[in-house]
Amino acid sequence: IKYLKTFSSTVLTVDVAASHLLLISTLAKLGDTQDQAKSRETVAKVAEEYLARDWRSATGEKEKGAEFNSQVEKILMVLLSSSKQVVEVMEQLCKEGVTPVIGSKEGTSDTFPVVTRATLGVVYKVMMATLV
């Protein structure tokens, strides 16, 4: 897991990031209970790092669209499923991600650039599914 985590800084596209995160998450489920706990923390940190990135396409334009929303959904699902303190992570997402998007004309968040007006539906969908 530590070895795969080193690649997180070199990932250039959100689809590769989602696949990388799913791979790390799957591998984190293997091993004994103590290893799993450490690995889950690592997975959560990588997921937060990916959510904090401003993803751009090869042409330099901000990523958007259904495919982007699907990748954001995967990253959020992994983050919430691997976090020890799910409610606190959701609170942080709401305070630093959703609230600035709703309250500003630009519709963006400084802390979580992937949370935009276009991705709010996905964010709510994942958070509500996690709560239930």
Side-chain angles (χ1 to χ4, degrees):
I1 302 295
K2 290 178 186 177
Y3 176 70
L4 290 173
K5 182 186 182 292
T6 61
F7 291 103
S8 65
S9 61
T10 61
V11 173
L12 298 177
T13 60
V14 71
D15 55 332
V16 174
S19 298
H20 179 248
L21 194 57
L22 288 172
L23 173 65
I24 293 174
S25 174
T26 303
L27 292 175
K29 294 175 185 174
L30 303 174
D32 62 19
T33 308
Q34 191 175 20
D35 287 343
Q36 285 180 1
K38 290 178 184 175
S39 297
R40 285 179 59 171
E41 288 178 33
T42 303
V43 171
K45 287 177 185 175
V46 172
E48 282 186 39
E49 178 186 322
Y50 285 157
L51 287 175
R53 282 201 195 164
D54 186 19
W55 294 104
R56 304 265 175 188
S57 66
T59 60
E61 295 177 19
K62 193 168 176 89
E63 288 276 1
K64 57 184 177 182
E67 186 64 33
F68 177 68
N69 289 353
S70 173
Q71 305 307 333
V72 170
E73 181 178 1
K74 289 175 187 174
I75 294 171
L76 280 169
M77 286 173 55
V78 170
L79 171 65
L80 294 176
S81 67
S82 57
S83 295
K84 282 185 181 178
Q85 301 149 336
V86 178
V87 176
E88 287 156 4
V89 171
M90 290 176 70
E91 181 181 6
Q92 181 186 14
L93 267 172
C94 286
K95 284 183 178 178
E96 299 174 14
V98 175
T99 304
V101 169
I102 294 172
S104 70
K105 288 186 178 181
E106 302 89 39
T108 58
S109 166
D110 293 333
T111 308
F112 299 108
V114 297
V115 180
T116 62
R117 286 198 172 109
T119 59
L120 273 181
V122 172
V123 173
Y124 280 126
K125 176 182 167 184
V126 173
M127 288 196 315
M128 293 304 158
T130 303
L131 286 174
V132 175

